[in-house]
Amino acid sequence: MFFTYLRRELRRRRKAALVVASGLALGIALVIVVSSVSAGMGQAQDKVLQSLYGLGTDMTVTKAEAPAGTTGGNARPKFQFGAKGSSDDSKQSSDRVMVQGFQTLSSATVGKVGEQSGVSSAVGGLSLNVLKVNGQFKRGEYKQRAGGGGATGRRGGGGGGGAPQGEVQGGGANFDVDSYTVYGTDVAHLGLGPLTSSKISSGRTFTSAETDAKVAVADASYAKKKKLKVGSTVTISSVTYKIVGIATPDSGDAAANLYLPLKQAQTLAGAKDKVTTVYVEATDSKQISGVKSTIQKNVPGTTVTTSADLADTVSGSLSTASNLATNVGKWLSIAVLIAAFLVAGLLTSSAVSRRVREFGTLKALGWKSSRVTRQVVGEALVNGLLGGVIGIALGLAGAYIVTAISPTLSASVGSSAGSSGGARGGFGGGGFGGGMRGGFGGGRQAASKALDIALTAPVSVSVIGLAVALAVAGGLIAGGFGGWRAARLRPADALRRVE
């Protein structure tokens, strides 16, 4: 009897049911779109962090910054060129391999971090920056001035205290400076660290036996720029390395241009048994904050950075859109849902007031108030479920449109740690008979990276479940309004409406 009456009443009041269902559908659709876009923001942020961390990395450990005003004992890098005979075209080439940030930790720190409670594994890596200088010196030519008399004076000066007889023209130096990054990775533990955020698209990765081999893996973009391929060679500080693989980063930006075995990178930089970063995987991803505190307490002189810390530094349009989706979108969804529930409740209550004669007659025939209330709540619940179906369809369509359009968002992660000297450069020194010395001062590298991320709007099963729950809640709220109104009706009310 309940379902028969329910089906007949819903069919008879199709328009009213559709209006209530549509109101709920709009609110539910908005919740789905906002939730899916927020999930897409989270995935985009994870891609940005992967480019710095690598897959499976929960936190990194680096050396704590030296107090302001101290140099930390790091000398400013220099280039020194010696004279090469008397040729007018003296070509020079030199590499300067520097530790990025000039801050290193002992390799023993890796083992100490790995022993801490809550740490599943820890791997060290060495981040380097290579400045390659190529160019040549050219001697100047002494030319005597016309009508200046005999060339009895010295070059560039007058003889016997007289006026100068000539001058040196031309000469100078022309050098090209190229900079690229090198990362020393522990080939015995390739499952952790920046290289894990890239896929080998050509060739192979390192083997565990290549701990000190002269092999390298090149980033795909850098390999294309320098026309490198598997089997090509690169030379760093007179050491030749064979390219065994080409790596394509998942997030669009690599951690380094070239990857070398850790021991080789340490040898190049003169940093034996040193690392710049310790990559840490926790045994339980829910206890990361506790592991961070443990490491900071037991391993002094270090700075521990988690993905949550880096997430707070994300800036650019990704950050702006994420804030809008999280704050504005959330509160807008709540406001629309509240409005939809209230409208559904008011419409249901209004419909009950138009059915006074019907419910009064049913009560006169023996229906109890609880039975009338159940009938009204049942109708409202069906309206809510109908609204849920429509809302899910609209929400899925909205999420699909966002994914199809795939707007590009920019993101910058990290902030500059300051400069200890800026990008100084210069060539000074005496004549060609002596050494020519040039300096390139380097400040601490800025721990930042800019990426362009395509936004998607994935819809999860949990979001669909939330939509169904909201549909049921909307129906129950609307039914509660109407049921309360119907329960107050008396059989005498029906007699007043009889014409």
Side-chain angles (χ1 to χ4, degrees), residues 125-360:
L126 184 65
S127 184
L128 305 176
N129 189 60
V130 180
L131 284 177
K132 189 177 187 67
V133 177
N134 287 295
Q136 65 182 31
F137 299 106
K138 187 176 182 180
R139 288 178 180 268
E141 295 182 358
Y142 178 80
K143 291 187 178 181
Q144 189 175 14
R145 294 179 180 176
T152 59
R154 294 174 298 173
R155 289 186 178 182
Q165 302 299 311
E167 61 183 1
V168 177
Q169 296 180 355
N174 182 19
F175 282 81
D176 175 66
V177 180
D178 183 27
S179 176
Y180 58 95
T181 55
V182 175
Y183 186 81
T185 184
D186 189 343
V187 299
H189 302 87
L190 293 175
L192 196 59
L195 188 54
T196 57
S197 61
S198 298
K199 294 180 180 178
I200 300 298
S201 54
S202 179
R204 62 175 178 83
T205 188
F206 300 110
T207 66
S208 57
E210 294 174 327
T211 56
D212 199 19
K214 293 179 175 60
V215 293
V217 172
D219 169 59
S221 299
Y222 184 75
K224 183 178 180 180
K225 177 182 177 182
K226 297 296 183 179
K227 298 181 180 179
L228 300 174
K229 59 183 180 180
V230 175
S232 300
T233 59
V234 293
T235 302
I236 309 174
S237 292
S238 302
V239 182
T240 301
Y241 295 90
K242 181 180 179 181
I243 303 295
V244 296
I246 305 296
T248 302
D250 294 332
S251 58
D253 199 4
N257 299 131
L258 293 173
Y259 299 89
L260 302 178
L262 179 58
K263 285 188 177 181
Q264 279 294 316
Q266 291 170 336
T267 301
L268 283 175
K272 184 180 179 181
D273 296 328
K274 298 291 185 180
V275 296
T276 52
T277 308
V278 180
Y279 296 87
V280 181
E281 181 181 7
T283 55
D284 186 354
S285 60
K286 297 179 181 179
Q287 304 296 328
I288 291 178
S289 59
V291 177
K292 175 182 177 180
S293 300
T294 299
I295 295 175
Q296 288 178 325
K297 178 182 178 181
N298 297 332
V299 188
T302 60
T303 298
V304 183
T305 306
T306 67
S307 57
D309 297 330
L310 279 181
D312 293 336
T313 70
V314 174
S315 59
S317 60
L318 174 60
S319 177
T320 302
S322 181
N323 290 335
L324 286 174
T326 302
N327 298 322
V328 179
K330 178 180 68 176
W331 291 111
L332 179 61
S333 300
I334 292 174
V336 171
L337 277 175
I338 292 175
F341 288 169
L342 288 176
V343 169
L346 292 175
L347 289 176
T348 303
S349 180
S350 177
V352 169
S353 65
R354 292 193 298 271
R355 299 166 66 183
V356 171
R357 184 172 60 182
E358 173 189 345
F359 290 135

